[in-house]
Amino acid sequence: CGGCHDLRPVQSSARDKDSWNEVVQNMLQKGADVADADIPVLVSYLAEHYGPMPEGKGKDIVLNVCTMCHDLKRIRQGNRSPEEWEETLNSMLNEGAPLSEADYPVVLAYLSKNFAH
């Protein structure tokens, strides 16, 4: 994918398997060089690592900030308590994540609601 364009659209799309298949088919029509046998593997990979995220306030922030370093699979499988998500976000801020003070509680609430154990 990165041979033709920036990877940010891939990293922040959060599409399901059918939608990723449509994107891949579109890219093939535009000249992407992917062997027929590799298409299902590529679509499965994209759906697993950049698959859908629950709707809700904070989703867009997660897609635009967290995916700068992490694929969505890692986020979806976070399975942390709200306290552990808070520790994780604090750690990411210490690493330089560009998460504003205003967005912090929104992201914490989104992750705690959707990816907590």
Side-chain angles (χ1 to χ4, degrees):
C1 302
C4 295
H5 56 78
D6 187 329
L7 292 179
R8 286 304 292 154
V10 172
Q11 296 166 325
S12 61
S13 290
R15 300 173 182 270
D16 64 18
K17 194 169 187 174
D18 289 339
S19 184
W20 276 121
N21 187 55
E22 289 177 23
V23 169
V24 169
Q25 294 303 320
N26 186 12
M27 294 300 112
L28 290 169
Q29 291 176 2
K30 292 180 178 183
D33 186 20
V34 180
D36 288 346
D38 292 338
I39 294 170
V41 175
L42 176 59
V43 170
S44 291
Y45 175 86
L46 291 169
E48 182 177 346
H49 291 272
Y50 304 103
M53 297 283 281
E55 293 300 323
K57 188 175 179 184
K59 175 183 174 181
D60 289 341
I61 302 166
V62 169
L63 289 176
N64 289 308
V65 174
C66 302
T67 62
M68 294 174 80
C69 298
H70 306 291
D71 67 30
L72 295 176
K73 178 181 179 183
R74 182 172 184 173
I75 296 165
R76 286 193 317 267
Q77 293 180 346
N79 198 29
R80 293 170 169 83
S81 69
E83 296 78 18
E84 290 168 326
W85 276 118
E86 184 174 14
E87 289 175 19
T88 299
L89 287 179
N90 289 334
S91 177
M92 296 302 99
L93 286 171
N94 288 335
E95 294 291 327
L99 185 63
S100 72
E101 284 185 43
D103 289 343
Y104 181 97
V106 176
V107 170
L108 179 58
Y110 178 81
L111 295 172
S112 296
K113 175 183 177 189
N114 294 297
F115 307 105
H117 57 87

